[in-house]
Structure formats: C-alpha cells, structure tokens
Amino acid sequence: MTSEDEARKEFEAVVEEYKEDAGLDRLKGLSVDIFSKIVKDAKGKPAKNVGGKVTNAEALAGCDAAVAVYCALVEKSTDYREILGYTAILREIRKEAATLRSKKLMDGAAAYKPFNKTFAKAADSLKAALKLAQDQAKYLNLAADVLSVFARLLTVL
Amino acid sequence: MKTFILVALLLICTACSAVPKLDKVDDFSVAADNSTELLKTAAAANRNIAIRRGEESEAVNYITKAPFTLLVQPEAALDERVFTVRLETLNALQAYAKALKLAVDEGVTTKLEEASARLGTTGGSIAASSPLAGPAFKIAARGLGYALTGAHARRVQAIVKATDPDVQKVTKLLQKDFKDVATDLRQQLSIFNANRHAALAVIRGNSPLDRLALRDRLELYREFKMARQDVAAQEALIGAVENYDRILEKLGKAHAALASGKPDNDAALKRFVALANDLVDLYTAAPKEKAT
C-alpha cells in the first residue's frame, strides 16, 4: 500500500469517525494529521507524501470535517489559550476550504455562459414578436381609418 | 344547424392559441427576481461574515497584544467571481422574464382584436347595399384579428417552449451550486461563532469565578449578550440563503407551467362571446336580405 493510499484510507476513516460522532479529542489528532497530509504540512507547504494527487473534492471534504471538529472543540473548551489555539488552526483550514470551494464553483462557472446568450436571444425574439403584433394592430387601425375616410367620401359623392 | 354552428364556433375559439396567462408569467417573473435577490443576499453574506470574522480575529490579536490591523479585510471569503458569473445569467433570465411579461400583456392582444373589430364595423358600414354584408364583414374582420392574435400567441409560445429546457438546466445548476454556497456560508458562520467565542474567553481570562468582582461579571454578561446578537444577525443572513431550494424550485416550475402551453380558457370564452354576438347580428340580418 502506497503512502497515498494510506492517506486516502485514513482520510475516509476520519470522515466516517466524525459521522459516527466519536470522541472529539481523538478526532482532533486525526484531523490535524489528515489535514496536513492532504492539504499542507505544518509550515504551510504542500504535503510531500501526497502532493497534489488527492482530488479537490477529497481535500475539501477533509477541510470541512476538520472545521466541524475544531468548532466543536472551541465550544467544549473552557481554557482561552486552548481556544485561541483552535481558532488559529481554524483560520488556516478555512483559507484552504475557501480556496478549494471557490475553485470548485469557478470550475462550474463556464457551464452558465451559453445560457446568457440563449436568454438574451429569447428576450430579443419576444421583443420582435411584440413589435410585430403592435405593428399589425397599427396597420389594422390604419386600414379602418382609410375605410372610414372612403365611407365619408362615398356619402359626399 | 344553428347548434352545429355554435358548437363549431366554440371549438374554433378554444382551439385558437392564446398567449400564456399573465398571472403565470408573473409567477415566473417573481421567481426570477427572487432567485436574483437570493444570489445577491448570498454574495453580501459571504462578504459580511468574512469581514466580521477578520474583525474578530484582529480584536483578539489586539487584546492579546499580538500584531493587529484596523484595515477592513474579508477573511477567507469565497471568490466574488463565483457570484458575479451566476448573477450575469440570472440578469439575462430576468431580462427574458421582463420581455415575456411585455409580450403577453393583455394590451397587445386587446389592441389587435379592437383594431380588427373597428375595421369590421367600418367596412360593414360601407357595404350597406346588402343587410348581410355588414355583419359578415364584421365576422371576417374579427376572424382576422383572432388569426393575428393566434399567430402572436404561437410565436410567444414557441419561444417559451424552446427556452424551457435551458431554464430547467440553469435551475438545476443553481440548486447544485447553492448547496455548496450555503454549506460554505454555514461554515463561515461556525468560524465566526468560534472567533466570537474566543474573544469572550480571552476577555474573561482563566481567573476563578470568586476573583471576579460583581461589576466584572456584569460586564461579561453584557459582552456575552452582544456576542449572541452578533452571531444571530449573521445567522439571519444565512437563513435567507438556505431557502435556496424552495426559491429555485419555483423558478423551474413556474417556467415549466408556461411551457406546457395550456389554453387560456378565459380568453377563449371572451372570443366566443364576441363571435356569437356577431353571429346573432348576421342571423338578424338574414331575413332582411331575403326580403330585399
């Protein structure tokens, strides 16, 4: 089993453990470990053992799980120094989560582009249909005006 | 024979295409507006919560004598382009909804039908040589009006039908993406809550309770209440965004209802009454025509 497979397996275990609401302290250690393996090492550099091979979706799920764990730990703790430690870690994980989710949402942004043209074209077609109907009403009124004048002419003659 | 003509008339009227009902178009237009508002609220919440988080972190830095800044900086918010790209599409959808509302406005069809009725009356008065000619001209002109209204309705309906698959696709895409946006905002709120928690904990310190003076405890109580209100205010912003599924579902459903092209029975009935009146005139004129 490669280090990559191990990290992946461990990561899946963290998420599962978290779902089962296992002890928060045990999760804390695991999530720090996994977070540093799949996202960054302690100095903020990309983790060497996995590199960029873990998918964004997996990394994001790891960050989300870690945020949930640390937020729960903040609620549980009564020591302000410990709480400050947790919030400092949360800040780092949040940066990563924001980058990953922004990337995910920006990757999906291209899918919207064609619809802008479709809706603009549909709006133009509706405007053209409206103008045609308005013109037709105008021409019918014009025809009625001509007939009316013609009727008056007939009466005079 | 008369009954047969009346039934045939009714069938013709109901078969005539009518533009989608205005209230259904209104439903779609309101749903498009609400979806746009939803996205704008999400973008504002993304920025506000990130700014408040940063502010809270800096405040803690200040009271713990760590380096701090007074500059307003959103802390790890979602990239703003995430919202602007989707807003462009929703703006285009809103413009389409607006154009649709104008195209199905009753004024357009009324103008066409009134103009044709006026043409019929004027034409009928000229053809006074025969008693039948007047009512017959009126019916023919009204028929022309209905034909033109029907053609307009078919054009509008064709555009709505052709656009519907794209409206449904956009609705699905937005529902999927809003799930991520709502998850992110909820996460930002959790971290803001944690930061606020940290500030309270630092203000209180780790001193035992009996060392705190009554005034200090009262001050802490006020700080706590303020922190709760801060979190609740941000929570309200997110609560609005978390309604995304219900709001976006309405967008897809309202347009699908338009695309189904169900006939407007009121319009068909109005046409039937108008044509039946013209037909009565024609029947009344028939004996006079025989007599001449």
Side-chain angles (χ1 to χ4, degrees):
Chain A
M1 196 180 264
T2 64
S3 60
E4 224 177 280
D5 291 334
E6 277 171 23
R8 193 182 297 262
K9 208 176 162 190
E10 209 172 343
F11 157 76
E12 283 164 4
V14 172
V15 177
E16 280 311 306
E17 291 263 12
Y18 180 71
K19 279 183 196 160
E20 286 166 15
D21 200 20
L24 283 174
D25 287 330
R26 193 157 53 89
L27 272 176
K28 179 176 70 172
L30 275 171
S31 65
V32 167
D33 194 28
I34 294 304
F35 175 72
S36 62
K37 270 185 183 161
I38 63 173
V39 186
K40 283 177 178 176
D41 65 13
K43 289 176 185 168
K45 289 176 186 166
K48 282 176 191 163
N49 53 347
V50 181
K53 288 182 183 174
V54 168
T55 66
N56 276 353
E58 286 169 330
L60 187 55
C63 288
D64 288 348
V67 166
V69 168
Y70 281 102
C71 284
L73 286 165
V74 166
E75 295 279 327
K76 199 183 154 200
S77 178
T78 53
D79 184 330
Y80 82 86
R81 288 186 192 87
E82 201 175 63
I83 292 174
L84 286 180
Y86 296 148
T87 50
I89 296 170
L90 272 171
R91 209 158 29 245
E92 289 310 307
I93 306 174
R94 171 60 203 165
K95 276 183 204 161
E96 202 61 39
T99 307
L100 289 167
R101 211 174 333 259
S102 293
K103 187 180 181 323
K104 181 184 176 188
L105 286 164
M106 283 312 292
D107 284 350
Y112 287 88
K113 289 266 172 183
F115 298 120
N116 298 355
K117 276 186 189 164
T118 311
F119 297 145
K121 205 177 146 197
D124 286 346
S125 305
L126 285 168
K127 281 177 198 162
L130 174 67
K131 193 177 178 306
L132 183 65
Q134 283 169 337
D135 284 350
Q136 283 169 342
K138 198 169 77 186
Y139 296 144
L140 282 175
N141 274 321
L142 269 177
D145 286 345
V146 170
L147 278 180
S148 173
V149 171
F150 189 61
R152 278 173 62 200
L153 203 64
L154 279 181
T155 319
V156 172
L157 289 174
Chain B
M1 180 64 180
K2 285 177 188 173
T3 316
F4 172 74
I5 292 172
L6 279 173
V7 171
L9 207 60
L10 183 63
L11 284 175
I12 290 166
C13 286
T14 47
C16 265
S17 299
V19 288
K21 283 188 94 172
L22 197 58
D23 56 348
K24 282 189 178 176
V25 176
D26 269 340
D27 284 350
F28 169 62
S29 183
V30 168
D33 289 347
N34 287 345
S35 305
T36 311
E37 269 318 298
L38 178 75
L39 191 66
K40 285 180 181 168
T41 308
N46 176 53
R47 191 174 160 73
N48 285 346
I49 302 173
I51 287 174
R52 291 305 317 273
R53 270 203 333 276
E55 189 181 293
E56 216 52 41
S57 299
E58 295 305 327
V60 170
N61 283 345
Y62 172 67
I63 52 178
T64 54
K65 292 185 177 177
F68 64 94
T69 178
L70 291 172
L71 292 174
V72 175
Q73 281 168 342
E75 190 180 274
L78 280 177
D79 190 329
E80 283 188 13
R81 287 174 302 162
V82 161
F83 300 98
T84 48
V85 167
R86 283 153 184 89
L87 198 59
E88 264 176 43
T89 304
L90 277 173
N91 283 340
L93 192 69
Q94 259 187 321
Y96 160 70
K98 201 175 159 192
L100 182 59
K101 212 171 157 182
L102 286 174
V104 304
D105 186 73
E106 232 174 76
V108 185
T109 48
T110 310
K111 262 185 200 166
L112 265 176
E113 289 177 6
E114 277 177 0
S116 59
R118 189 173 157 239
L119 181 69
T121 314
T122 320
S125 66
I126 292 176
S129 55
S130 151
L132 264 184
F137 203 98
K138 219 171 159 186
I139 290 176
R142 202 181 283 284
L144 173 67
Y146 290 168
L148 291 176
T149 311
H152 172 64
R154 277 191 295 278
R155 273 192 290 273
V156 171
Q157 196 60 41
I159 296 166
V160 171
K161 248 190 175 159
T163 315
D164 191 54
D166 285 342
V167 175
Q168 301 308 325
K169 278 181 206 163
V170 163
T171 305
K172 290 268 176 298
L173 270 178
L174 285 170
Q175 278 176 315
K176 182 172 75 69
D177 291 347
F178 258 95
K179 194 177 174 192
D180 278 325
V181 170
T183 302
D184 198 82
L185 293 178
R186 181 54 64 183
Q187 180 174 93
Q188 291 195 51
L189 179 71
S190 302
I191 300 174
F192 174 63
N193 182 44
N195 286 358
R196 208 67 179 87
H197 198 113
L200 282 182
V202 170
I203 292 168
R204 187 183 58 193
N206 288 343
S207 322
L209 184 64
D210 52 14
R211 287 234 194 129
L212 291 172
L214 179 64
R215 199 188 296 166
D216 294 337
R217 272 182 273 174
L218 194 62
E219 201 55 46
L220 288 176
Y221 171 77
R222 284 187 188 133
E223 278 297 325
F224 176 81
K225 295 274 274 189
M226 205 187 290
R228 281 289 290 262
Q229 281 164 14
D230 274 356
V231 174
Q234 305 305 320
E235 170 102 42
L237 274 178
I238 295 180
V241 177
E242 281 177 336
N243 274 331
Y244 71 91
D245 226 20
R246 192 174 50 80
I247 293 169
L248 292 170
E249 203 182 330
K250 270 192 189 166
L251 180 71
K253 276 191 179 169
H255 198 272
L258 289 175
S260 70
K262 283 181 188 154
D264 183 350
N265 292 331
D266 292 349
L269 200 66
K270 270 187 204 162
R271 287 175 182 178
F272 172 72
V273 170
L275 256 182
N277 276 332
D278 290 350
L279 208 63
V280 168
D281 291 346
L282 189 67
Y283 273 122
T284 320
K288 290 179 195 165
E289 174 79 11
K290 267 187 191 173
T292 51

